[in-house]
């Protein structure tokens, strides 16, 4: 992307030395004081987990986590969700409380679109 003085050139025309230039070339952009900067890589999408696979992976531990969610008042949200996303604050809080062995089991629970 072309940048000058912290502003991104969004396309169209460019004014350089009082002349309007339509669809400027790279050389004209540099001549006008713009610098080419590679755009930042997009953030990877958050991981999504299947509720059913998660419950199955938790197996005997599910009852404990279900009780904890009930006590925290978030079980309804868990049950209503189409999938569980790692960037959801409730699920992120859940992930922060589970031991590593449980987290490793959740790697097998990714949502398939």
């Amino acid at each position: 992307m072309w940048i000058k003085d912290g502003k991104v050139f969004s396309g169209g025309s460019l004014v350089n030395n009082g002349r309007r230039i339509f669809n400027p070339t790279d050389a004209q952009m540099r001549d006008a004081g713009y610098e080419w900067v590679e755009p930042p890589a997009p953030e990877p999408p958050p991981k999504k987990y299947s509720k059913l696979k998660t419950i199955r992976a938790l197996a005997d531990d599910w009852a404990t986590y279900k009780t904890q969610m009930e006590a925290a008042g978030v079980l309804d949200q868990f049950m209503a969700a189409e999938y569980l996303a790692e960037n959801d604050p409730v699920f992120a809080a859940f992930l922060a409380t589970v031991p590593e062995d449980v987290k490793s089991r959740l790697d097998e629970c990714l949502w398939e679109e």
Side-chain angles (χ1 to χ4, degrees), residues 8-110:
V8 176
F9 179 72
S10 59
S13 65
L14 161 74
V15 177
N16 187 24
N17 297 326
R19 291 181 36 229
R20 181 169 297 278
I21 303 168
F22 292 94
N23 300 318
T25 64
D26 290 356
Q28 290 169 322
M29 292 298 292
R30 283 190 290 279
D31 185 46
Y34 283 86
E35 177 185 2
W36 177 256
V37 177
E38 287 295 325
E43 291 286 322
K47 287 182 184 177
K48 296 177 183 178
Y49 299 87
S50 161
K51 283 190 313 186
L52 180 58
K53 288 180 183 178
T54 299
I55 291 168
R56 287 178 178 165
L58 291 173
D60 294 336
D61 296 333
W62 166 242
T64 301
Y65 290 112
K66 180 181 175 187
T67 302
Q68 289 174 355
M69 287 188 280
E70 233 171 357
V74 297
L75 184 61
D76 289 344
Q77 292 178 42
F78 177 88
M79 298 311 259
E82 184 175 356
Y83 55 80
L84 308 169
E86 69 181 349
N87 65 343
D88 176 78
V90 173
F91 190 60
F94 166 76
L95 288 175
T97 65
V98 298
E100 286 302 315
D101 69 306
V102 172
K103 286 182 187 175
S104 66
R105 285 189 268 167
L106 294 179
D107 288 340
E108 302 166 10
C109 303
L110 293 178

